[in-house]
Amino acid sequence: MHKPISLLISVIMLLMLACSAVANLPFLQSPPTNEPASAVTLIAPTPTETITPSPTPEPTATPIPAMRIASGDKAILNGEWEKALEQYENVLQAGQDVEILAAALLGQAKTHLLAGNYEQAITNLELLIAAYPDEKQLPYANFYLGQSYSVVGRHLEAAEAYKRYLDLQPGLIDAYVLNLRGDALVSANQIAEALIEYRTALTAPGTLNPLDIQFKIARAHAALGDFETALGVYQQIYDQTQSDFTKAQVDLLSGQIYTALGQLDKAYALYLDAVNNYPTSYDSYLALVALVEAGVPVDELNRGIVDYFAGEYGVARAAFDRYFESNAPDQGAARYYNGLTLRALGLYQAAVAEWDIIITTYPEDRFWDRAWEQKAYTLWFYMNEYAAAIQTLFNFASSVPTHPRAGEFLFDAARIAERDNRLQEAAELWVKVFVDYPEYEQALRALFLAGITRYRLQDYGGALAIFQRFLENSLSLADRTAALLWQGKVQQALGDATASTASWELAASLDPTGYYSERARDLLRQRPPFSPPSQFDLSIDFIGEKQQADNWMKTTFNLPEETDLSSPGLLAADPRMMRARELWQLSLYEAARAEFEDLRQSIQSDPIANYQLAVFLSELGLYRSAILVARQVLNLAGMSDADTMNAPVFFNHIRFGTYYSDLVIPVALQNKLHPLFLFSVIRQESAFEGFVRSSAGARGLMQIIPTTGEEIVNRLNWPEGYTAEDLYRPVVSLTLGADYLATWRDYFDGDPYAALAAYNGGPGNAIAWQQLAGDDPDLFVEVIRFEETRNYIRGIYEIFNIYRRIYERVN
């Protein structure tokens, strides 16, 4: 929740005074960087506390209860339920004015709601509504009461609570609350009334997905027996969407309605549409089951494909066998998917035989190149027949050298050869890719890998020639600096210190803030990776920095001197801003972010609005969006990544903030991780967005997969009553993530690269990569098989060096 600035002034000023008093004391100094242990293990005990950028006017006395309210609100954001409850209880026991008491009671109720103590939340909220009917917390109390009632099954009461919120706060976030009220009414079997709410929500302003509401409208009409309208809405969804999965869902739901109406021909037509056109959807599998149970003939090829994607491999295989027996025409597709099915069943040789039939019999088939690909992949990954896999891919390129995928297949052959430690062959294949297929998108990367492979073979002369060739053909600064860094590495191996120094100096100057430039700079200084500054200070002079940034804005964008940059300005009246602030207040963070992002996209060319929004979002706590908006201001100023380091420090304190420092610093020190290192990892993982969820299911600040989180919790025996939802609590995510990172740091004897690789790419892979690279961190990065993990480590390295540059203090 956004903390009123007036309630935080004294806290901020006290912290700033404390920061200035301790900033240069010896305990802020990290241990010397020449220790044999990895730099990631270096500790700086209790650095200066971070001040999150916020306006700090002249200090005034802040009442203790108000400070406790602010502390409780901050604890809620951190996910520290016990601390929040303690702060609010202290306020309630103190017996202050009604506004403070109402705020404490609301905070207490909200904490119980978020912690899953729903009955206690209801008790607090009902007390608040009865005792303080005239306080500004009343709308929020009713909203939280609606949420709490819904969870415990008191749906009609939830709907009434949501209605009271709408009566108290009309026209603000109606779409969101009407949608929730409609859900409550459906659960209470008040379908007709729910339908009204959904239709009103659909037309109200907001960023809700209209298709989601349309599905609810269609289901409501179906529940009321108005099947014609329901079918019409489903047809609208089908026509509007581009998603195969949504179309399959519509087919299934519409088919079920026609089945209930006894119009089986129409139902089966829809089921067949799903099966024949959207085979990867599970809804298509359900449609297939309905067809099979009804005895409706289904094309055996499509039936097999649907069964395969549903994981029903046995019945898929039987369907393909029937298809082959019928001598149906599309043998290529059937053989291809039958091969995938056989492989899923563990019948690898039989799978390869299927793909061989396509290769030899159906050279014009659309699955022909994919048959080669799957054969090679199966030989390598499942059967450990590396040589056969390499030969398969090489044969493809040799037989159809002009095929669009020939270069790709040769590249993959080289990768398999490398994994089989056939480095000479791998290097030759990668050079062949570059020479024979210069238009292939990975051709230049192939040349670079050939150089790395020559280096691993200790063929330094060959490696040097390849890296020079790579440099001459490189257009991007990142590629050019990579070439120079590795030229320096080769020259160092050859004993030519003068040449290696010259290469690294050029690399360091070419792309400041880029990974290879930063790495070259560290090599020149003989500084281990992730070495922290000897002294650093996290305090912020907000007033001075903000004034400097204001002046820079006026000069850079030729703004009139009287331009007001101290507030959101016109943005405050923007409906998206108003909705977003209310949604954030209600802890509907994802919905709030969507509104803010819609606003951000609309002001991309306006430097004043971007600046105002960046300041506002950084104060609010939506840090990822604040980072993006602050960078957009610098983009409008025409600044490159390197240039931004010379921008007013105010921008970089937003872009590379030490957010959640009250949590980060203790867990960093507890796990012997340098705080700046941990800040860098968090920024790479989530950009300090605690409610974010990845496509792979990773959650929270440290992007932890629920199963991994459960393993760590079992080891730590904390927190009590853990569920996967706890990963959205910053205190939990940071504690578990830091522990997990430190665990692998220790396993790899302090190697930060291997620890990061284990965190992102999996421990088993990190072990294999470390075995290939030995103790060479630069080689470790290049032998990483996953592009995502390679970019992950390089990204954190860049971020860490920026953090070091911003917060380092030199006597």
Side-chain angles (χ1 to χ4, degrees):
M1 293 172 61
H2 178 46
K3 302 177 291 295
I5 297 304
S6 62
L7 301 183
L8 294 179
I9 294 171
S10 293
V11 180
I12 292 173
M13 295 307 296
L14 286 171
L15 286 172
M16 289 177 67
L17 289 172
C19 290
S20 62
V22 302
N24 294 312
L25 291 181
F27 67 67
L28 286 178
Q29 298 181 14
S30 298
T33 59
N34 58 359
E35 292 183 1
S38 167
V40 77
T41 65
L42 298 178
I43 315 171
T46 318
T48 312
E49 187 67 33
T50 300
I51 308 300
T52 302
S54 54
T56 51
E58 290 300 316
T60 58
T62 305
I64 294 299
M67 293 175 63
R68 285 176 171 163
I69 292 289
S71 179
D73 292 348
K74 180 65 163 62
I76 286 180
L77 273 179
N78 286 350
E80 299 175 289
W81 310 141
E82 292 182 2
K83 180 178 179 180
L85 291 172
E86 179 184 359
Q87 294 298 320
Y88 297 131
E89 183 61 30
N90 287 336
V91 174
L92 294 171
Q93 293 296 327
Q96 297 295 319
D97 65 84
V98 294
E99 181 179 352
I100 293 294
L101 289 172
L105 201 54
L106 181 70
Q108 201 173 64
K110 180 178 179 181
T111 306
H112 282 303
L113 172 61
L114 294 172
N117 304 322
Y118 304 113
E119 294 294 351
Q120 186 59 55
I122 291 171
T123 299
N124 285 99
L125 291 166
E126 289 177 340
L127 175 61
L128 171 59
I129 292 169
Y132 305 106
D134 298 322
E135 291 304 309
K136 63 182 180 181
Q137 287 81 12
L138 195 60
Y140 308 115
N142 278 286
F143 181 86
Y144 295 139
L145 194 57
Q147 290 186 309
S148 302
Y149 281 150
S150 289
V151 176
V152 300
R154 297 165 64 176
H155 301 297
L156 201 54
E157 291 171 280
E160 289 305 308
Y162 286 133
K163 185 177 186 301
R164 289 194 296 271
Y165 170 87
L166 290 169
D167 291 340
L168 292 164
Q169 295 280 67
L172 190 55
I173 56 167
D174 290 8
Y176 302 93
V177 183
L178 288 167
N179 183 48
L180 291 172
R181 186 167 192 269
D183 293 345
L185 289 166
V186 167
S187 297
N189 203 32
Q190 303 290 313
I191 308 300
E193 190 175 350
L195 190 56
I196 295 172
E197 303 300 79
Y198 287 142
R199 288 201 175 277
T200 308
L202 193 61
T203 60
T207 58
L208 286 173
N209 185 347
L211 291 184
D212 290 341
I213 301 178
Q214 285 178 276
F215 267 114
K216 294 179 181 182
I217 290 172
R219 290 191 181 100
H221 278 291
L224 291 171
D226 182 4
F227 299 119
E228 182 178 354
T229 302
L231 290 168
V233 176
Y234 281 136
Q235 186 61 51
Q236 290 175 7
I237 297 172
Y238 188 97
D239 294 338
Q240 292 170 10
T241 186
Q242 300 298 316
S243 166
D244 286 357
F245 294 96
T246 302
K247 287 180 181 292
Q249 184 181 12
V250 168
D251 278 340
L252 178 66
L253 294 172
S254 299
Q256 289 171 342
I257 290 177
Y258 279 122
T259 298
L261 292 172
Q263 300 180 37
L264 298 181
D265 287 347
K266 292 182 177 179
Y268 298 154
L270 289 166
Y271 293 153
L272 286 169
D273 183 63
V275 169
N276 295 334
N277 296 307
Y278 315 114
T280 62
S281 170
Y282 191 76
D283 286 321
S284 296
Y285 172 73
L286 297 178
L288 174 62
V289 170
L291 290 168
V292 172
E293 289 179 348
V296 177
V298 180
D299 178 84
E300 295 292 357
L301 173 59
N302 292 329
R303 179 175 178 176
I305 294 173
V306 170
D307 282 329
Y308 166 76
F309 282 110
E312 299 291 339
Y313 303 123
V315 290
R317 182 183 182 187
F320 291 129
D321 285 343
R322 290 192 296 271
Y323 188 81
F324 297 140
E325 292 171 2
S326 68
N327 293 317
D330 200 352
Q331 291 288 308
R335 297 289 177 187
Y336 177 77
Y337 282 107
N338 192 42
L340 295 177
T341 301
L342 292 167
R343 187 175 70 192
L345 290 168
L347 304 172
Y348 306 132
Q349 196 60 57
V352 169
E354 287 292 82
W355 294 317
D356 275 335
I357 292 174
I358 301 174
I359 290 169
T360 58
T361 310
Y362 306 105
E364 303 300 323
D365 193 89
R366 66 188 189 280
F367 288 96
W368 188 72
D369 58 315
R370 283 187 272 182
W372 286 88
E373 181 181 33
Q374 293 298 338
K375 175 184 176 180
Y377 179 70
T378 303
L379 289 168
W380 159 61
F381 188 81
Y382 291 94
M383 302 173 69
N384 292 318
E385 295 185 17
Y386 287 80
I390 295 167
Q391 192 62 48
T392 296
L393 294 168
F394 186 85
N395 288 346
F396 177 91
S398 298
S399 62
V400 283
T402 60
H403 194 281
R405 302 191 70 187
E408 174 192 349
F409 281 17
L410 275 183
F411 186 98
D412 292 343
R415 180 64 84 189
I416 295 172
E418 182 212 25
R419 293 180 181 185
D420 198 30
N421 205 34
R422 299 161 65 169
L423 300 184
Q424 181 72 27
E425 184 177 359
E428 292 171 355
L429 284 169
W430 271 319
V431 170
K432 182 175 178 60
V433 171
F434 175 78
V435 172
D436 292 352
Y437 300 97
E439 301 303 318
Y440 171 49
E441 61 182 2
Q442 294 290 325
L444 195 60
R445 173 72 181 165
L447 185 62
F448 179 75
L449 291 175
I452 296 295
T453 308
R454 289 292 178 194
Y455 179 86
R456 291 173 62 190
L457 287 166
Q458 299 184 8
D459 176 9
Y460 299 126
L464 193 61
I466 289 176
F467 286 130
Q468 180 60 37
R469 193 175 183 183
F470 178 74
L471 177 62
E472 293 168 354
N473 285 274
S474 295
L475 299 178
S476 73
L477 289 177
D479 284 344
R480 293 179 63 80
T481 52
L484 289 166
L485 180 134
W486 276 99
Q487 277 190 337
K489 295 273 291 185
V490 173
Q491 290 157 345
Q492 182 186 56
L494 290 169
D496 192 344
T498 301
S500 66
T501 298
S503 294
W504 289 337
E505 286 177 344
L506 182 54
S509 66
L510 201 58
D511 186 27
T513 74
Y515 170 77
Y516 289 104
S517 282
E518 295 298 329
R519 184 71 191 114
R521 187 173 293 109
D522 283 348
L523 285 169
L524 287 167
R525 296 177 181 178
Q526 298 183 340
R527 186 164 59 189
F530 297 107
S531 295
S534 58
Q535 297 186 59
F536 66 102
D537 182 2
L538 305 184
S539 60
I540 296 173
D541 173 17
F542 176 81
I543 295 175
E545 292 176 10
K546 176 68 164 54
Q547 185 60 58
Q548 180 193 32
D550 287 356
N551 295 336
W552 179 87
M553 286 287 297
K554 292 174 183 178
T555 301
T556 302
F557 297 105
N558 297 315
L559 306 179
E561 184 59 34
E562 64 273 14
T563 303
D564 181 12
L565 298 173
S566 63
S567 68
L570 297 176
L571 292 179
D574 189 291
R576 291 163 295 191
M577 170 72 90
M578 297 170 68
R579 288 194 296 270
R581 294 177 69 170
E582 184 76 356
L583 291 164
W584 187 269
Q585 174 76 12
L586 292 169
S587 300
L588 301 177
Y589 298 128
E590 292 186 9
R593 177 185 57 188
E595 293 282 1
F596 278 126
E597 283 297 299
D598 189 29
L599 176 60
R600 182 178 73 85
Q601 294 292 334
S602 71
I603 61 169
Q604 288 191 60
S605 60
D606 185 340
I608 298 175
N610 275 276
Y611 181 66
Q612 293 168 328
L613 186 59
V615 175
F616 177 82
L617 293 176
S618 67
E619 294 174 3
L620 185 68
L622 188 54
Y623 301 123
R624 180 178 179 274
S625 294
I627 289 167
L628 294 173
V629 181
R631 183 62 176 95
Q632 181 60 21
V633 176
L634 303 180
N635 288 342
L636 292 171
M639 304 184 81
S640 67
D641 287 343
D643 293 337
T644 62
M645 292 296 96
N646 298 318
V649 69
F650 181 77
F651 289 100
N652 288 328
H653 277 151
I654 292 178
R655 295 172 59 224
F656 298 92
T658 53
Y659 307 116
Y660 297 102
S661 61
D662 55 330
L663 300 178
V664 172
I665 292 171
V667 299
L669 300 181
Q670 180 182 351
N671 289 279
K672 299 183 180 180
L673 298 166
H674 196 281
L676 294 183
F677 177 77
L678 192 52
F679 281 125
S680 302
V681 174
I682 300 165
R683 192 185 188 280
Q684 177 72 16
E685 287 285 355
S686 64
F688 299 96
E689 193 167 85
F691 54 87
V692 69
R693 179 173 182 168
S694 75
S695 58
R699 303 181 180 191
L701 288 176
M702 294 291 285
Q703 286 292 277
I704 300 171
I705 298 289
T707 52
T708 302
E710 189 171 358
E711 293 172 7
I712 305 169
V713 167
N714 290 337
R715 186 174 71 250
L716 299 179
N717 197 29
W718 181 89
E720 185 178 352
Y722 167 82
T723 71
E725 291 300 301
D726 284 320
L727 293 175
Y728 294 119
R729 297 167 56 189
V731 65
V732 174
S733 183
L734 290 169
T735 301
L736 302 189
D739 177 86
Y740 191 66
L741 189 56
T743 297
W744 291 113
R745 182 271 321 279
D746 294 342
Y747 178 89
F748 289 110
D749 298 323
D751 183 344
Y753 278 43
L756 290 172
Y759 194 94
N760 178 265
N765 292 315
I767 291 169
W769 298 331
Q770 191 187 55
Q771 290 173 346
L772 292 176
D775 59 358
D776 187 335
D778 301 301
L779 192 54
F780 184 94
V781 169
E782 308 305 347
V783 300
I784 290 175
R785 313 303 191 193
F786 305 151
E787 183 177 5
E788 176 189 334
T789 303
R790 190 165 58 249
N791 290 338
Y792 175 81
I793 293 175
R794 292 191 299 205
I796 293 175
Y797 200 98
E798 293 173 358
I799 293 168
F800 177 82
N801 277 278
I802 292 173
Y803 269 102
R804 181 171 58 195
R805 188 173 293 135
I806 293 172
Y807 295 103
E808 183 174 17
R809 300 295 180 263
V810 179
N811 288 336

